Structure formats: C-alpha cells, structure tokens
Amino acid sequence: MRSPKFRLLGLAVAPLIFLSACGSDDGGAGTDDASESTGADDAAATSVAPNGTAEDVTLTEAEVEGATVPALELDKTPLSVAETSVQEIEAGEGEGATAEQDVELRYLAVNGTTGEEILSTFSTDETVSMSLANPNLLPGFLNTLEGAKPGQSMIIAMSPADGFGEQGNAQLGIGPSDTVVFYVEVVGATTPLTQAEGEEVEPEEGLPTVEADGTSPAQITIPEGEEPPTELVVQPLIKGEGKEVQSGQNVRMQYTGVQWSDGEQFDTSLQEGRQAFETVIGAGQVIQGWDEGLVGQTIGSRVLLVIPPDMAYGDAPEGSPSADLKEETLVFVVDILAAQ
C-alpha cells in the first residue's frame, strides 16, 4: 500500500484554525523552518503568566465595510488562561450536539497575547463545520462544543494546552504560550454520512465494475481487453440526495484508487487508522480529474472516476512520490459524505 498521492497544497481556513498542529508531510503550503521558529519565538516573548478567564472578555460590535459584526474586547492585554474557560452569551435551544456529529457555526478568533483578530466568518456571514469525531480537533473545542445547542453563543478562552500546544501555529501568528479567544455562534449539528446513500445508478458498459460496501476498500475490476479512455469518465454509481458539491467547498470523502494497467490498488482511505479524506475541491489542491469530476456531484453519491494521466500525475517530477504513476490511467471510487 503506497502512501496517499494527493497533491495537498494547503488547508482551508476552517480546518487550519480548528485542528491541532499534528505535523505535515505533504510538502505543500508549510513555511520554512526559520520562519516558523521566528514566529513562535516572537509570540512567546510577549506571553505572560496566567492572569484571567473568559469572563475577562467583552463581546462588542465593529463596523466592517458598512456591516456591523461581532468583536471582542479584552479587559487585559495580554490575556493568559491556565485552563480553558467559557463565558456563555446565549443559551440556545433544542438538542445538544453529540460526539459523533458535525457542528455548524460562525466564529471570531483573537490572539489573547496581542489582542489582534486572527480570523472571522462574520464579515461574509459564512458558516463552517467541524467534526466532533475528528481526533485532531483542538481539545478546547472537543471539551466545550459537545452538548452545544442551536442558537447558543459563547466566548471560549482556550489555554495553550487545549489549543495549539508547544508548536503554536506560525501561519496564524499564534505562539506556543498564546491563549486564543473564540466567540462562537452555534447554528446547528448534523449526523454525517459514513458511506454513500441514495438511488443506485446503472453504469455504462465497458467501464470498470465495482463492489463496494462503504466500510472496506472498494473492489474494482478493470474490463479485460479494454483500452483505457483518453478523456475523463465520471460515472455515478449511487445518486445521493444532498446538495451539489460546489467549487471551493471543503469536501469529506472515502475513496479507493487502482491502476487501470493491472488493477492494483495504490491508495484507499478505508483502512484502519485513517480518517475520511477532506480537501477543498475545485481549487487545485488535488489532481485535476478529482477537481473536474466531483464538482456538481451530490452529497451522498458514490462516483466512479476514470482519470487519464494528463489529468492525474502525468506531470509529476522524477523522484516525487507520485512519479511511478505518471503514465497510469487511474480509477477511483469515491463516496461523497459532506461538503461545506
């Protein structure tokens, strides 16, 4: 089994702020060692001993391009907390989110050391989704958002240990000793799909045949004696009932990939120890065949993709992890589980 081959160039804004620093081996958007060290050292130099809680933060308003949006005012700067604390603003109503669900929310993040805003969704009124089942989610969210109800809003003062830890996050200007303060408005919670669900579709003749149960790697059989197609083939096997995937969305999927030449499996997300694969689609973060083939498909669908080399790894440089797939037509079965 080879390692994942997708050309990940970076993470979407929402996962970057919500996920702990767990290292990256994709060689994509990371900064060099010198810049990461400098950013962390500068932030750490201004950190202080614990001196407050979430109650030392006031929710205010600000004008951004003519719109009124939430803002946070720190009663003391720098603000440092020893343990993550929560100040509830609104209680919310309905069922609380469970540990298996995705929570949809709006958020504002501020660096407690500097008082500067890090990121906010309120200027565009967009929502983001986070999976409480994702073990890489910041512990401060895992410990505070389970049980959150629609309409609930809160200020979370997240300790470094529950946030980005000893590594900090140089891309966001967060040092290893920085408290990060979040204002969060909970929109709702949903139970995510774990495999494709919908109406079965009869595939065209001459394509690879697929046996898939959604819980183990799909069994893909290449048609004997057939030449590989020279253009992208997109064949839904199950038509999901969800919304269409749009370019620029963060999409969660399970997949299996094989080579047309010999049917050998070269990668799958459906193996022990791996999570469902997530990436921004239609933005050049994965191979072209995925970007073009999955945009417009519906959530819940199972899709067969047959991707010629020029839309896969035909341009992979010699010595790269994907170089051995340069001349291969690739066949994928992809279950689309969510898109945000």
Side-chain angles (χ1 to χ4, degrees):
M1 180 71 62
R2 298 189 182 99
S3 59
K5 300 292 184 180
F6 294 103
R7 296 178 297 182
L8 300 181
L9 302 182
L11 293 174
V13 167
L16 186 63
I17 189 68
F18 291 149
L19 300 183
S20 59
C22 53
S24 174
D25 57 6
D26 54 44
T31 55
D32 59 47
D33 292 340
S35 62
E36 288 188 7
S37 174
T38 301
D41 290 346
D42 288 347
T46 58
S47 64
V48 295
N51 63 356
T53 69
E55 297 295 333
D56 295 303
V57 182
T58 303
L59 178 65
T60 62
E61 294 181 341
E63 292 291 326
V64 177
E65 298 181 353
T68 302
V69 298
L72 294 177
E73 182 177 307
L74 308 185
D75 296 346
K76 54 187 73 174
T77 304
L79 173 67
S80 176
V81 302
E83 297 180 352
T84 297
S85 58
V86 177
Q87 177 191 163
E88 187 171 82
I89 305 300
E90 296 288 342
E93 297 180 350
E95 297 292 328
T98 68
E100 296 77 29
Q101 290 188 306
D102 291 350
V103 177
E104 183 181 2
L105 50 79
R106 302 181 182 89
Y107 76 94
L108 162 67
V110 170
N111 188 319
T113 299
T114 64
E116 296 180 355
E117 181 176 307
I118 301 170
L119 292 169
S120 174
T121 65
F122 289 101
S123 59
T124 59
D125 199 34
E126 293 180 349
T127 62
V128 296
S129 181
M130 67 168 76
S131 171
L132 297 186
N134 187 341
N136 291 323
L137 195 67
L138 295 180
F141 285 126
L142 287 172
N143 297 334
T144 58
L145 290 181
E146 185 177 350
K149 299 178 179 180
Q152 185 173 357
S153 59
M154 67 191 86
I155 295 171
I156 305 170
M158 196 175 295
S159 69
D162 283 346
F164 296 95
E166 296 180 355
Q167 292 181 330
N169 189 312
Q171 289 177 274
L172 298 175
I174 299 170
S177 300
D178 289 349
T179 291
V180 181
V181 183
F182 293 89
Y183 170 65
V184 171
E185 292 181 355
V186 179
V187 177
T190 57
T191 301
L193 295 175
T194 58
Q195 59 182 303
E197 292 184 5
E199 182 179 353
E200 291 191 8
V201 178
E202 185 69 26
E204 294 184 7
E205 293 185 3
L207 294 178
T209 58
V210 176
E211 295 181 16
D213 60 13
T215 62
S216 57
Q219 300 300 307
I220 304 170
T221 303
I222 306 301
E224 188 174 351
E226 292 282 345
E227 291 295 319
T230 57
E231 296 184 356
L232 175 67
V233 174
V234 182
Q235 173 64 65
L237 303 176
I238 294 177
K239 177 69 171 179
E241 298 180 353
K243 295 181 179 179
E244 289 188 358
V245 174
Q246 300 179 21
S247 181
Q249 286 188 310
N250 192 68
V251 182
R252 184 184 307 151
M253 298 163 277
Q254 297 282 17
Y255 69 89
T256 300
V258 304
Q259 303 171 166
W260 181 286
S261 62
D262 56 11
E264 179 187 353
Q265 178 183 300
F266 65 89
D267 194 18
T268 182
S269 63
L270 289 161
Q271 66 185 53
E272 187 177 354
R274 290 184 64 176
Q275 300 287 322
F277 178 69
E278 294 193 29
T279 188
V280 176
I281 207 71
Q285 293 196 6
V286 287
I287 56 177
Q288 185 181 355
W290 273 49
D291 273 345
E292 294 192 12
L294 296 179
V295 170
Q297 302 300 314
T298 54
I299 297 170
S301 293
R302 175 171 294 150
V303 184
L304 173 70
L305 298 175
V306 184
I307 306 176
D310 62 341
M311 299 186 73
Y313 298 107
D315 61 352
E318 293 298 331
S320 70
S322 303
D324 54 347
L325 296 175
K326 286 184 58 148
E327 299 179 1
E328 288 285 350
T329 294
L330 305 182
V331 183
F332 288 96
V333 173
V334 181
D335 284 9
I336 303 173
L337 307 180
Q340 173 67 39

